[in-house]
Amino acid sequence: MKTLDREATKALLPYDRLVPALRQMMLDRRQGLIHAPQRTVLPLPDEGAYLAMSACDAQLAITKLVAVTPANRGRELPTLHGTVIVTDAHTGRTLCTLDGPTLTARRTAAVTLLGVGALLARTPRRVALIGTGAQAHEHAAAVQQRWAPETLWAVGRSLERSRAFAQELRGIGVDVQPADRVDALAACDVVICLTTSREPVLPEHLAPEMLVAGVGAFTPAMAEIPPGIARAAQVVVDDLPGAREEAGDLQRAGIAWDSVLELADCLVQRPDTRRRWVLKTVGHASWDLAAARTAIGS
């Protein structure tokens, strides 16, 4: 059995392979070829959570065990720790373990890339990221690699933090422009929210042609997208049952769930709509399975 660390896991999950693998996984799941129960969430001290997520297809079975500890920001420790166990579905033999935070960050960014590509009728040239944490870091690199936008903005809790984040990214060759909210959102094609905020991080009024993606908030207590924007949009989610339980943005908006689409359906045929698009992702074990497929070349 191989135990793969952060760098080894990252090397096995290039976006040019991971995004198509996620697309295929969503289509396979739509056809009933994937088994994946809703994840188990246990409360940890200091508003932390311990998550267990399993999924399998005809070839592989995976389980991801992850601890999310927001209080670690004050301890100068990562907020996410965990591992992914990959098993041969035929023999039950453990094939490898992958680094949980790295796999999660990359498959989450890949779902965003897939969703934006499916819903936006053009290649995004101006993209804004709200947040400066690990997910924002991964999304910045993913967006740069996938679309090479003319401008990639970063909006943090302060302009100072945005500047520090931009400096970090430039160190790995990603050109990010620090900005305050007004500057970043005035003329962008896509805005991607990557925070664990309990209050909306966007203004209520944005250009209707702008695609809004909510990625960071993953519990009913969190909400990045203003209710007015969610209610006025065509909402697309990565996993409808999971969104019903966990998407605080959408729960707070009181949206009609029967009007919400799953991304898998939009991959088959993009709906004809003139409303704003809101893409809301909460994650699913099947996306981890797609990453495991990619990592071992299945």
Side-chain angles (χ1 to χ4, degrees), residues 21 24 42 69 73-74 77 94 148 180 184 190 219-220 223 243 248 255 260 272 291:
Q24 186 60 55
L42 302 177
T69 313
R73 294 189 187 94
L77 292 171
T94 301
D180 59 32
V190 181
T219 74
I255 63 164
V260 175
D272 182 16

Side-chain angles (χ1 to χ4, degrees), residues 87-95:
T87 300
D88 185 307
H90 292 282
T91 67
R93 181 172 62 94
T94 301
L95 300 176

Side-chain angles (χ1 to χ4, degrees), residues 8-9 40 49 64 67 89 97 106 114 120 125 130 152 174 177 195 200 210 216 220 247 256 272 285-286 289:
T9 298
T40 300
K64 183 171 75 173
T97 63
R106 291 185 78 80
L114 180 64
L120 199 66
R125 306 312 305 165
I130 311 299
L152 177 58
V174 179
Q177 301 299 316
T195 77
M210 188 184 303
D272 182 16
S286 297
L289 179 58

Side-chain angles (χ1 to χ4, degrees), residues 71-242:
N72 277 358
R73 294 189 187 94
R75 301 169 181 141
E76 297 185 357
L77 292 171
T79 60
L80 194 67
H81 291 87
T83 190
V84 179
I85 304 166
V86 184
T87 300
D88 185 307
H90 292 282
T91 67
R93 181 172 62 94
T94 301
L95 300 176
C96 66
T97 63
L98 301 165
D99 183 68
T102 302
L103 181 144
T104 301
R106 291 185 78 80
R107 65 84 156 148
T108 302
V111 171
T112 303
L113 297 179
L114 180 64
V116 171
L119 300 178
L120 199 66
R122 60 194 182 280
T123 299
R125 306 312 305 165
R126 298 170 298 277
V127 180
L129 306 178
I130 311 299
T132 56
Q135 276 292 355
H137 193 285
E138 190 63 49
H139 273 71
V143 166
Q144 178 70 36
Q145 180 181 322
R146 189 73 168 179
W147 297 311
E150 295 171 2
T151 309
L152 177 58
W153 286 285
V155 183
R157 290 188 298 271
S158 67
L159 188 55
E160 204 171 61
R161 182 67 193 104
S162 300
R163 286 172 175 160
F165 177 77
Q167 187 63 33
E168 291 171 15
L169 268 296
R170 287 177 189 139
I172 61 170
V174 179
D175 186 17
V176 177
Q177 301 299 316
D180 59 32
R181 294 178 192 278
V182 175
D183 291 341
L185 302 179
C188 62
D189 303 305
V190 181
V191 55
I192 306 172
C193 302
L194 299 150
T195 77
T196 55
S197 177
R198 291 173 176 265
E199 296 298 330
V201 296
L202 299 176
E204 282 280 0
H205 301 289
L206 295 172
E209 66 272 13
M210 188 184 303
L211 189 154
V212 174
V215 179
F218 63 95
T219 74
M222 299 174 184
E224 301 177 287
I225 301 169
I229 286 180
R231 284 194 291 265
Q234 173 59 66
V235 176
V236 178
V237 299
D238 60 336
D239 172 47
L240 186 54

